[in-house]
Amino acid sequence: MAFLSFVGRVLFVSVFVLSAWQEFNEFGVDGGYAAKALKPKFNVFSKHLTTHTGFQVPAFEIKFLVAGAIALKALGSLLFVFGSTLGATLLILHQLIATPILYDFYNYDIEKKEFLHLFIKFTQSLALLGALLFFVGMKNSPPRRSSTTKKAAKTKTT
């Protein structure tokens, strides 16, 4: 059972590892394609955040955000493969930050093709987030003892 759990974790993090690897290879001096695609989405997200909360997002280069995402995915994946809740927490942090920015379906009209595409990607990211939260919850929950184990222990002591 431990081997199946390990294989499941490896398959699960393959999504994050492949994404981080691609972004790392394309990074260059300007952050690569990821930074170019992220910049307009991040600007819209920053305007929404400022409008609705009054919180002003500090100005910084998008390539640092991409580098942080690569680091979170790479380190989180490595730790998660070995069953670490810290790795799962890093991946949760990445999902919480990246999902609403990257998959901004809420900025499109429902009849547009982009809306459906982004909404599907958004729900897939939510599923990954849910699986990570489930993993952390299972790791932090105390193990249950089955009733047959209790009965066997009781008969041995009497």
Side-chain angles (χ1 to χ4, degrees):
M1 196 63 155
F3 179 71
L4 284 177
S5 178
F6 177 75
V7 170
R9 289 191 307 271
V10 168
L11 291 174
F12 182 81
V13 299
S14 67
V15 173
F16 297 103
V17 170
L18 293 173
S19 170
W21 181 255
Q22 180 182 1
E23 289 174 8
F24 177 76
N25 283 334
E26 296 174 349
F27 193 76
V29 293
D30 61 346
Y33 176 76
K36 289 179 186 120
L38 184 61
K39 188 169 183 130
K41 290 179 178 266
F42 186 77
N43 289 338
V44 170
F45 178 77
S46 297
K47 288 177 187 173
H48 278 307
L49 190 65
T50 303
T51 303
H52 295 300
T53 64
F55 177 73
Q56 182 68 35
V57 178
F60 61 90
E61 289 189 50
I62 295 296
K63 70 179 180 179
F64 296 126
L65 187 63
V66 173
I70 293 169
L72 278 175
K73 288 188 275 191
L75 183 61
S77 296
L78 179 69
L79 294 172
F80 184 79
V81 164
F82 296 109
S84 168
T85 54
L86 177 61
T89 305
L90 292 175
L91 293 174
I92 288 170
L93 180 63
H94 172 266
Q95 288 297 98
L96 286 174
I97 294 169
T99 300
I101 297 171
L102 291 176
Y103 309 120
D104 59 342
F105 68 92
Y106 45 85
N107 288 326
Y108 294 90
D109 193 19
I110 198 165
E111 286 87 25
K112 292 199 175 195
K113 187 171 82 169
E114 293 91 0
F115 176 88
L116 183 60
H117 175 72
L118 290 169
F119 186 72
I120 289 170
K121 292 286 194 181
F122 182 83
T123 55
Q124 288 173 346
S125 284
L126 286 182
L128 291 174
L129 179 62
L132 289 164
L133 290 170
F134 179 76
F135 176 81
V136 170
M138 290 301 291
K139 283 292 248 188
N140 291 330
S141 64
R144 285 196 210 167
R145 294 185 65 176
S146 67
S147 60
T148 57
T149 308
K150 289 179 186 176
K151 288 178 185 176
K154 203 182 251 188
T155 57
K156 286 183 182 179
T157 58
T158 57

